[in-house]
Amino acid sequence: MEYSLDDEPLTNRTSLGLSNELIGQEATIAVESGTLYVFYPLPWETSEQPGI
């Protein structure tokens, strides 16, 4: 991960963990309670983009 968080408790009152990136190594995310949203961009070929 770009910004490592090891065993850090995160609440809805902090911005820690809000924006992070995989940097080529495997990563694990664990959630004890609450909701986790993960956004993973898929590759988009130029030929697939409308109007290009």
Side-chain angles (χ1 to χ4, degrees):
M1 301 297 293
E2 179 85 21
Y3 309 102
S4 180
L5 291 171
D6 297 319
D7 297 319
E8 293 289 331
L10 301 177
T11 69
N12 64 349
R13 303 208 186 278
T14 181
S15 61
L16 284 175
L18 180 63
S19 179
N20 212 339
E21 295 182 42
L22 291 170
I23 55 172
Q25 299 175 352
E26 186 175 307
T28 301
I29 301 171
V31 177
E32 289 184 15
S33 66
T35 303
L36 172 70
Y37 291 99
V38 176
F39 298 91
Y40 188 79
L42 297 175
W44 192 349
E45 298 291 328
T46 304
S47 62
E48 295 176 11
Q49 296 178 10
I52 296 180

XYZ file of all heavy atoms in Angstrom:
406
model
N 0.832 -1.165 0.000
C 0.000 0.000 0.000
C 0.887 1.242 0.000
O 1.957 1.246 0.590
C -0.909 0.014 1.229
C -1.857 -1.183 1.367
S -3.064 -1.377 0.075
C -4.098 0.028 0.326
N 0.388 2.281 -0.614
C 1.115 3.553 -0.625
C 1.316 4.066 0.803
O 2.386 4.520 1.173
C 0.322 4.577 -1.433
C 0.938 5.950 -1.501
C 1.970 6.113 -2.588
O 1.951 5.316 -3.546
O 2.779 7.028 -2.485
N 0.256 3.979 1.612
C 0.316 4.432 3.011
C -0.071 3.258 3.900
O -1.231 2.884 3.974
C -0.640 5.608 3.242
C -0.447 6.713 2.237
C -1.315 6.875 1.164
C 0.634 7.583 2.338
C -1.130 7.874 0.233
C 0.831 8.590 1.403
C -0.047 8.722 0.366
O 0.145 9.712 -0.569
N 0.902 2.679 4.570
C 0.664 1.494 5.379
C -0.057 1.839 6.676
O 0.285 2.796 7.366
C 2.003 0.832 5.698
O 1.796 -0.311 6.480
N -1.081 1.055 6.995
C -1.795 1.165 8.263
C -1.823 -0.235 8.873
O -2.546 -1.098 8.404
C -3.228 1.654 8.048
C -3.412 3.085 7.585
C -4.873 3.329 7.214
C -2.983 4.046 8.671
N -1.027 -0.457 9.880
C -0.957 -1.776 10.515
C -1.705 -1.764 11.841
O -1.318 -1.070 12.777
C 0.494 -2.184 10.740
C 1.256 -2.333 9.431
O 0.662 -2.882 8.475
O 2.409 -1.891 9.362
N -2.788 -2.528 11.900
C -3.609 -2.642 13.117
C -4.075 -1.289 13.641
O -4.094 -1.041 14.840
C -2.849 -3.405 14.214
C -2.558 -4.832 13.805
O -3.456 -5.455 13.204
O -1.452 -5.312 14.073
N -4.455 -0.402 12.732
C -4.934 0.926 13.119
C -6.458 0.912 13.203
O -7.127 0.539 12.252
C -4.513 1.979 12.092
C -3.033 2.225 12.029
C -2.504 2.944 13.256
O -3.265 3.719 13.884
O -1.345 2.727 13.591
N -7.019 1.313 14.329
C -8.475 1.438 14.396
C -8.918 2.681 13.626
O -8.366 3.761 13.808
C -8.761 1.588 15.899
C -7.484 2.115 16.478
C -6.373 1.614 15.601
N -9.881 2.518 12.746
C -10.381 3.640 11.950
C -11.838 3.891 12.314
O -12.624 2.958 12.440
C -10.258 3.339 10.456
C -8.850 3.055 9.947
C -8.890 2.697 8.470
C -7.939 4.240 10.183
N -12.193 5.137 12.453
C -13.579 5.498 12.759
C -14.100 6.413 11.652
O -13.363 6.798 10.749
C -13.665 6.256 14.106
O -13.051 7.542 13.947
C -12.969 5.493 15.219
N -15.359 6.769 11.756
C -15.937 7.691 10.778
C -15.551 9.137 11.070
O -16.009 10.051 10.419
C -17.455 7.547 10.726
C -18.109 7.927 12.038
O -17.444 8.113 13.051
N -19.427 8.005 12.023
N -14.671 9.354 12.020
C -14.230 10.703 12.373
C -12.782 10.967 11.960
O -12.175 11.928 12.400
C -14.388 10.934 13.863
C -15.817 10.715 14.326
C -16.133 11.532 15.539
N -17.441 11.246 16.078
C -18.571 11.750 15.632
N -18.570 12.541 14.600
N -19.709 11.461 16.191
N -12.220 10.091 11.128
C -10.844 10.269 10.664
C -10.770 10.089 9.159
O -11.590 9.395 8.569
C -9.883 9.285 11.366
O -8.563 9.520 10.901
C -10.235 7.840 11.056
N -9.788 10.726 8.554
C -9.601 10.564 7.111
C -8.539 9.508 6.805
O -8.262 9.237 5.640
C -9.213 11.900 6.474
O -7.987 12.364 7.021
N -7.947 8.906 7.842
C -6.982 7.832 7.613
C -7.660 6.702 6.840
O -8.797 6.336 7.132
C -6.461 7.274 8.940
C -5.449 8.107 9.683
C -5.125 7.456 11.033
C -4.179 8.266 8.873
N -6.977 6.169 5.863
C -7.525 5.070 5.089
C -8.505 5.490 4.014
O -8.996 4.656 3.265
N -8.766 6.772 3.911
C -9.754 7.253 2.933
C -9.262 7.077 1.502
O -9.996 6.677 0.624
C -10.076 8.721 3.198
C -11.088 9.359 2.271
C -12.427 8.654 2.418
C -11.235 10.831 2.572
N -8.013 7.364 1.271
C -7.455 7.267 -0.074
C -6.100 6.576 0.013
O -5.172 7.098 0.614
C -7.301 8.663 -0.678
O -6.749 8.573 -1.966
N -6.009 5.398 -0.582
C -4.773 4.635 -0.555
C -4.658 3.894 -1.877
O -5.655 3.698 -2.576
C -4.771 3.659 0.620
C -3.386 3.414 1.176
O -2.396 3.635 0.488
N -3.328 2.957 2.410
N -3.456 3.485 -2.230
C -3.247 2.807 -3.511
C -2.378 1.580 -3.345
O -1.431 1.596 -2.564
C -2.550 3.744 -4.493
C -3.359 4.942 -4.893
C -2.631 5.798 -5.907
O -2.015 5.214 -6.824
O -2.667 7.020 -5.779
N -2.715 0.531 -4.089
C -1.824 -0.624 -4.175
C -0.622 -0.220 -5.015
O -0.776 0.427 -6.050
C -2.535 -1.804 -4.842
C -3.647 -2.445 -4.036
C -4.423 -3.415 -4.910
C -3.082 -3.150 -2.832
N 0.567 -0.603 -4.564
C 1.775 -0.222 -5.302
C 2.541 -1.441 -5.795
O 3.749 -1.451 -5.845
C 2.685 0.695 -4.455
C 3.016 0.046 -3.118
C 2.047 2.049 -4.254
C 4.051 0.812 -2.312
N 1.828 -2.483 -6.170
C 2.463 -3.634 -6.787
C 2.690 -4.810 -5.866
O 3.105 -5.855 -6.311
N 2.434 -4.662 -4.574
C 2.565 -5.774 -3.651
C 1.181 -6.194 -3.177
O 0.251 -5.394 -3.155
C 3.428 -5.377 -2.455
C 4.836 -4.990 -2.831
C 5.621 -4.495 -1.623
O 5.082 -4.312 -0.542
N 6.906 -4.262 -1.816
N 1.065 -7.462 -2.793
C -0.208 -7.963 -2.294
C -0.556 -7.270 -0.982
O 0.318 -6.985 -0.166
C -0.108 -9.466 -2.054
C -1.402 -10.113 -1.672
C -1.269 -11.612 -1.565
O -0.786 -12.234 -2.521
O -1.649 -12.146 -0.506
N -1.826 -6.990 -0.774
C -2.275 -6.331 0.448
C -3.485 -7.069 1.009
O -4.228 -7.707 0.276
C -2.641 -4.882 0.164
N -3.661 -6.967 2.312
C -4.799 -7.569 2.994
C -5.530 -6.489 3.771
O -4.908 -5.660 4.427
C -4.324 -8.667 3.973
O -3.613 -9.656 3.246
C -5.495 -9.306 4.683
N -6.851 -6.526 3.697
C -7.681 -5.585 4.445
C -8.624 -6.405 5.313
O -9.279 -7.321 4.827
C -8.497 -4.681 3.504
C -7.566 -3.899 2.588
C -9.392 -3.746 4.297
C -8.284 -3.160 1.492
N -8.688 -6.076 6.595
C -9.591 -6.771 7.508
C -10.532 -5.757 8.150
O -10.109 -4.670 8.517
C -8.793 -7.498 8.583
N -11.800 -6.140 8.268
C -12.810 -5.267 8.870
C -13.496 -6.046 9.982
O -14.027 -7.125 9.747
C -13.848 -4.810 7.824
C -14.928 -3.966 8.457
C -13.167 -4.064 6.700
N -13.456 -5.496 11.200
C -14.131 -6.156 12.323
C -15.613 -5.819 12.358
O -16.442 -6.651 12.665
C -13.476 -5.769 13.645
C -12.104 -6.385 13.819
C -11.507 -6.072 15.176
O -12.249 -5.636 16.085
O -10.289 -6.258 15.309
N -15.941 -4.557 12.059
C -17.341 -4.161 11.998
C -17.450 -2.925 11.127
O -16.485 -2.210 10.928
C -17.903 -3.871 13.400
O -17.273 -2.737 13.950
N -18.645 -2.697 10.589
C -18.847 -1.538 9.740
C -18.888 -1.899 8.281
O -19.077 -3.055 7.912
N -18.672 -0.911 7.447
C -18.769 -1.079 6.003
C -17.451 -0.719 5.347
O -16.828 0.276 5.714
C -19.869 -0.160 5.437
O -21.097 -0.472 6.093
C -20.043 -0.352 3.942
N -17.043 -1.515 4.391
C -15.814 -1.256 3.647
C -16.171 -1.075 2.175
O -16.863 -1.906 1.592
C -14.840 -2.425 3.783
C -13.593 -2.375 2.901
C -12.669 -1.259 3.385
C -12.868 -3.703 2.931
N -15.728 0.029 1.593
C -15.905 0.262 0.165
C -14.538 0.162 -0.488
O -13.589 0.809 -0.044
C -16.471 1.663 -0.110
C -17.895 1.831 0.335
C -18.191 2.441 1.537
C -18.945 1.385 -0.455
C -19.498 2.603 1.957
C -20.250 1.542 -0.051
C -20.527 2.150 1.151
O -21.817 2.304 1.559
N -14.443 -0.640 -1.545
C -13.198 -0.777 -2.293
C -13.491 -0.433 -3.741
O -14.393 -1.004 -4.357
C -12.635 -2.220 -2.206
C -11.398 -2.361 -3.058
C -12.343 -2.581 -0.756
N -12.742 0.503 -4.274
C -12.876 0.897 -5.675
C -11.610 0.494 -6.387
O -10.516 0.912 -6.002
C -13.097 2.413 -5.795
C -14.352 2.865 -5.118
C -14.340 3.267 -3.798
C -15.552 2.854 -5.802
C -15.500 3.681 -3.157
C -16.726 3.259 -5.178
C -16.691 3.669 -3.853
N -11.759 -0.327 -7.401
C -10.613 -0.835 -8.140
C -10.805 -0.503 -9.615
O -11.720 -1.027 -10.251
C -10.493 -2.348 -7.944
C -9.232 -2.923 -8.516
C -8.032 -2.815 -7.829
C -9.236 -3.560 -9.748
C -6.871 -3.338 -8.343
C -8.076 -4.078 -10.274
C -6.899 -3.970 -9.575
O -5.739 -4.482 -10.091
N -9.974 0.388 -10.155
C -10.168 0.780 -11.560
C -9.812 -0.349 -12.513
O -8.789 -1.017 -12.342
C -9.221 1.969 -11.730
C -8.164 1.752 -10.710
C -8.831 1.057 -9.546
N -10.662 -0.570 -13.477
C -10.389 -1.559 -14.518
C -9.708 -0.869 -15.687
O -9.980 0.300 -15.964
C -11.696 -2.206 -14.980
C -12.451 -2.988 -13.909
C -13.782 -3.472 -14.466
C -11.623 -4.153 -13.416
N -8.833 -1.578 -16.384
C -8.186 -0.954 -17.554
C -9.229 -0.612 -18.610
O -10.173 -1.363 -18.837
C -7.228 -2.025 -18.051
C -7.578 -3.275 -17.365
C -8.415 -2.946 -16.174
N -9.048 0.506 -19.259
C -9.989 0.953 -20.273
C -9.195 1.272 -21.524
O -8.468 2.247 -21.578
C -10.716 2.182 -19.784
C -11.900 2.573 -20.627
C -12.260 2.088 -21.851
C -12.887 3.555 -20.294
N -13.398 2.697 -22.288
C -13.801 3.596 -21.366
C -13.079 4.388 -19.227
C -14.892 4.455 -21.373
C -14.173 5.234 -19.243
C -15.065 5.254 -20.299
N -9.354 0.441 -22.519
C -8.654 0.624 -23.787
C -9.226 1.829 -24.519
O -10.427 2.087 -24.469
C -8.797 -0.623 -24.663
C -8.197 -1.865 -24.048
C -6.678 -1.804 -23.981
O -6.055 -1.188 -24.864
O -6.128 -2.370 -23.021
N -8.379 2.569 -25.218
C -8.814 3.732 -25.984
C -9.914 3.370 -26.962
O -10.871 4.100 -27.157
C -7.632 4.354 -26.732
O -6.620 4.668 -25.776
C -8.050 5.603 -27.448
N -9.826 2.185 -27.582
C -10.822 1.765 -28.574
C -12.190 1.527 -27.950
O -13.188 1.510 -28.645
C -10.347 0.506 -29.290
O -10.192 -0.556 -28.356
N -12.254 1.343 -26.625
C -13.536 1.104 -25.946
C -14.214 2.401 -25.540
O -15.375 2.391 -25.152
C -13.298 0.262 -24.699
C -12.791 -1.131 -24.987
C -12.474 -1.890 -23.699
O -12.846 -1.415 -22.615
O -11.845 -2.945 -23.801
N -13.504 3.519 -25.589
C -14.087 4.786 -25.156
C -14.929 5.377 -26.276
O -14.488 5.490 -27.405
C -12.974 5.761 -24.760
C -12.166 5.297 -23.578
C -11.043 6.240 -23.235
O -10.976 7.348 -23.771
N -10.146 5.821 -22.379
N -16.183 5.733 -25.967
C -17.050 6.293 -26.996
C -16.516 7.623 -27.534
O -15.994 8.436 -26.785
C -18.379 6.528 -26.281
C -18.150 6.207 -24.846
C -16.783 5.651 -24.676
N -16.596 7.797 -28.803
C -16.194 9.045 -29.443
C -14.697 9.186 -29.671
O -14.231 10.250 -30.064
N -13.923 8.121 -29.435
C -12.476 8.216 -29.681
C -12.084 7.265 -30.773
O -12.478 6.164 -30.856
C -11.679 7.893 -28.384
C -11.995 8.961 -27.341
C -10.205 7.832 -28.640
C -11.289 8.771 -26.028
